[in-house]
């Protein structure tokens, strides 16, 4: 029986799955393979991590200790954020941001440009200050910010090697509270988008695109910078906990605590608690990044085809992310707003809709999330450093050991 991803919508085509326990075992497995890719939490919804006819390295058993230093933490590439966040907090530190799910691995999240939320908070990859990488010949190399190739290595899409360790910048630990508001009028969102995004440390808008108002606004505030709000541009405080897909009748049982109850950063910045099955579970995901300045126009463009989107949708999330300089980061070159779609598990219908959705967002230069479902092929126009990335991949992997059909379609164009 072949392995599948978390959502069950992709079955891996590799001939073998190897489970290395040490970095030396990773090096030996990579050196011996003709085709090889690493597996993390398997939370990608496409074939980016597959190695048809090759070998998959399941890194869940990789033994790399957590090392907390002065302003940094070093973890194994297979570590999940939720696994070491409590240890980091106990030492008096925090990561500046976390994604919606604490269940995802550091290496996989960083490699695909995964992010959290917050107009002034960059994606997870921006916290990386060093990457330890096993390259195609089994050599162990470390790249730091002093290396000219570093901005190309961090969001590497698995095309450059197998990540065994990462060093992340940390900040002093802080507490966060979540306050949820119901019913934000669409016009208020368009007119006051900046003020809404500035209402907290991290802000997310949830909608099914069909209702007369945006269903929910989640405002995550640092307790030391909290401002009480009786309402938010027409949205009113929720009278109880809310799941992002509250409009679909999904209970908030697996969500992190809301209603203004303060708690440590790692128990509030994710939307979902580590102890529960992530999100809904049986779902598909798509996400597009548009320039922050185009946020209102892009949201209007999707809203105009709500009748096509809503029947396939569980919920959409709209949130801002600060820009970075990483070559293949979806936020390379400037601040972005992410339009996220959590779909019902109806992949043929979703795939039929994606070209229509991408056509609507094309005028804004939308970039897709590397680890989620999208339609477009080569992405040269969206990534000005793509040629540099291709050259870097040729240097580190001259025989294409880490190539796969996904990379050929979307990155290497062959």
């Amino acid at each position: 029986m072949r392995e599948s991803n978390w959502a069950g919508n992709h079955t891996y085509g590799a001939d073998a799955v190897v489970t290395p326990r040490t970095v030396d075992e990773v090096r030996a497995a990579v050196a011996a393979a003709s085709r090889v890719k690493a597996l993390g939490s398997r939370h990608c919804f496409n074939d980016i991590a597959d190695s048809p006819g090759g070998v998959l390295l399941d890194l869940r058993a990789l033994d790399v200790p957590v090392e907390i230093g002065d302003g940094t933490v070093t973890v194994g590439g297979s570590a999940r954020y939720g696994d070491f966040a409590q240890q980091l907090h106990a030492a008096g530190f925090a990561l500046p941001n976390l994604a919606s799910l604490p269940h995802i691995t550091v290496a996989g999240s960083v490699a695909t440009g995964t992010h959290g939320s917050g107009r002034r908070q960059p994606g997870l990859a921006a916290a990386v200050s060093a990457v330890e990488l096993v390259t195609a010949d089994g050599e162990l190399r470390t790249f730091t910010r002093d290396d000219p190739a570093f901005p190309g290595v961090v969001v590497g899409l698995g095309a450059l090697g197998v990540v065994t360790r990462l060093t992340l910048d940390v900040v002093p630990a802080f507490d966060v509270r979540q306050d949820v508001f119901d019913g934000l009028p669409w016009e208020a969102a368009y007119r006051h988008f900046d003020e809404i995004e500035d209402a907290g440390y991290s802000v997310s808008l949830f909608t099914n695109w069909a209702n007369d108002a945006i269903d929910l606004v989640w405002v995550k505030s640092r307790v030391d910078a909290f401002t009480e709000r009786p309402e938010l541009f027409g949205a009113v405080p929720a009278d109880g906990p809310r799941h992002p897909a509250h409009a679909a009748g999904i209970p908030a049982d697996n969500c992190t605590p809301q209603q203004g109850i303060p708690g440590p950063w790692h128990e509030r910045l994710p939307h979902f608690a580590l102890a529960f099955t992530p999100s809904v579970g049986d779902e598909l995901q798509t996400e597009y990044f548009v320039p922050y300045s185009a946020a209102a126009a892009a949201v209007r463009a999707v809203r105009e085809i709500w009748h096509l989107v809503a029947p396939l949708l569980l919920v959409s999330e709209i949130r801002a992310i600060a820009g970075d300089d990483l070559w293949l980061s979806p936020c390379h070159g400037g601040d972005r707003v992410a339009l996220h779609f959590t779909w019902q598990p109806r992949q043929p219908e979703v795939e039929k809709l994606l070209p229509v959705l991408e056509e609507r967002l094309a005028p804004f230069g939308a970039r897709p999330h590397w680890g989620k479902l999208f339609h477009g092929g080569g992405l040269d126009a969206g990534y000005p450093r793509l040629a540099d990335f291709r050259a870097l991949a040729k240097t580190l992997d001259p025989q294409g050991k880490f190539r796969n059909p996904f990379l050929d379609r979307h990155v290497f164009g062959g």
Side-chain angles (χ1 to χ4, degrees):
M1 181 177 176
R2 290 189 178 271
E3 304 269 352
S4 63
N5 65 345
W6 172 79
N9 72 307
H10 178 76
T11 300
Y12 297 110
D15 289 342
V17 178
V18 177
T19 308
R21 296 182 177 276
T22 67
V23 172
D24 283 343
E25 289 181 5
V26 173
R27 296 178 65 185
V30 169
S34 59
R35 293 276 179 170
V36 62
K37 299 290 284 187
L39 278 182
S41 59
R42 311 183 190 204
H43 198 259
C44 289
F45 293 83
N46 55 38
D47 57 339
I48 189 172
D50 204 353
S51 184
V55 174
L56 291 175
L57 301 185
D58 186 337
L59 300 183
R60 284 179 291 188
L62 187 62
D63 184 18
V64 176
V66 176
E67 300 175 9
I68 301 174
D70 185 14
T72 66
V73 60
T74 298
V75 300
S78 61
R80 302 184 306 168
Y81 284 94
D83 291 337
F84 67 90
Q86 187 171 359
Q87 182 179 346
L88 190 60
H89 182 76
F93 296 106
L95 294 171
N97 212 349
L98 290 172
S100 300
L101 301 176
H103 311 72
I104 53 180
T105 64
V106 179
S109 305
V110 165
T112 55
T114 296
H115 59 95
S117 177
R119 185 181 178 186
R120 290 168 177 79
Q121 311 307 320
L124 304 181
V128 177
S129 61
V131 178
E132 182 184 87
L133 189 71
V134 176
T135 55
D137 57 0
E139 182 183 358
L140 191 65
R141 298 187 57 176
T142 298
F143 295 84
T144 70
R145 289 192 178 120
D146 294 330
D147 194 311
F150 180 79
V153 170
V154 180
V155 182
L157 311 183
L160 308 177
V162 175
V163 174
T164 48
R165 285 185 178 88
L166 298 104
T167 300
L168 312 174
D169 295 336
V170 296
V171 298
F174 57 95
D175 287 342
V176 175
R177 57 178 287 163
Q178 296 190 84
D179 294 273
V180 179
F181 295 83
D182 288 338
L184 176 69
W186 285 101
E187 284 301 322
Y190 301 144
R191 294 176 57 193
H192 301 286
F193 192 79
D194 286 353
E195 297 100 311
I196 293 165
E197 285 297 323
D198 283 338
Y201 186 84
S202 167
V203 177
S204 294
L205 284 63
F206 293 101
T207 179
N208 66 2
W209 300 100
N211 291 341
D212 292 336
I214 292 173
D215 301 313
L216 303 172
V217 183
W218 279 23
V219 180
K220 300 173 191 273
S221 305
R222 287 183 59 129
V223 170
D224 58 8
F226 172 70
T227 300
E228 189 77 41
R229 296 178 181 276
E231 58 90 38
L232 185 65
F233 297 102
V236 298
D239 59 6
R242 299 285 193 260
H243 188 282
H246 176 74
I250 299 175
D253 300 344
N254 60 357
C255 296
T256 49
Q258 303 164 28
Q259 297 185 286
I261 302 170
W265 57 279
H266 61 93
E267 294 179 1
R268 297 296 184 276
L269 291 180
H271 297 336
F272 301 99
L274 181 64
F276 294 92
T277 299
S279 193
V280 175
D282 195 9
E283 64 188 41
L284 303 171
Q285 293 183 15
T286 292
E287 187 169 39
Y288 300 102
F289 300 78
V290 300
Y292 184 88
S293 59
V299 170
R300 285 182 187 272
V302 177
R303 172 79 168 141
E304 289 170 358
I305 58 168
W306 69 265
H307 57 290
L308 301 178
V309 174
L312 300 177
L313 197 67
L314 288 168
V315 68
S316 267
E317 181 176 9
I318 303 166
R319 48 184 169 167
I321 311 101
D324 58 54
D325 64 352
L326 304 173
W327 294 354
L328 294 193
S329 165
C331 297
H332 173 85
D335 300 347
R336 294 291 189 275
V337 168
L339 308 180
H340 184 280
F341 302 83
T342 299
W343 306 107
Q344 300 170 37
R346 297 160 62 181
Q347 187 154 342
E349 294 161 277
V350 170
E351 290 181 342
K352 185 177 180 180
L353 174 61
L354 291 180
V356 178
L357 189 54
E358 291 176 16
E359 183 180 7
R360 300 291 300 181
L361 294 175
F364 313 109
R367 298 168 176 167
H369 190 299
W370 293 107
K372 304 183 190 297
L373 295 178
F374 62 95
H375 172 73
L379 301 173
D380 300 58
Y383 290 92
R385 301 299 300 271
L386 186 55
D388 295 320
F389 182 84
R390 289 170 175 159
L392 178 61
K394 186 67 175 176
T395 299
L396 296 179
D397 183 23
Q399 303 303 318
K401 182 175 288 193
F402 299 109
R403 296 271 290 267
N404 65 8
F406 176 95
L407 293 171
D408 288 340
R409 290 194 308 271
H410 300 299
V411 178
F412 298 108

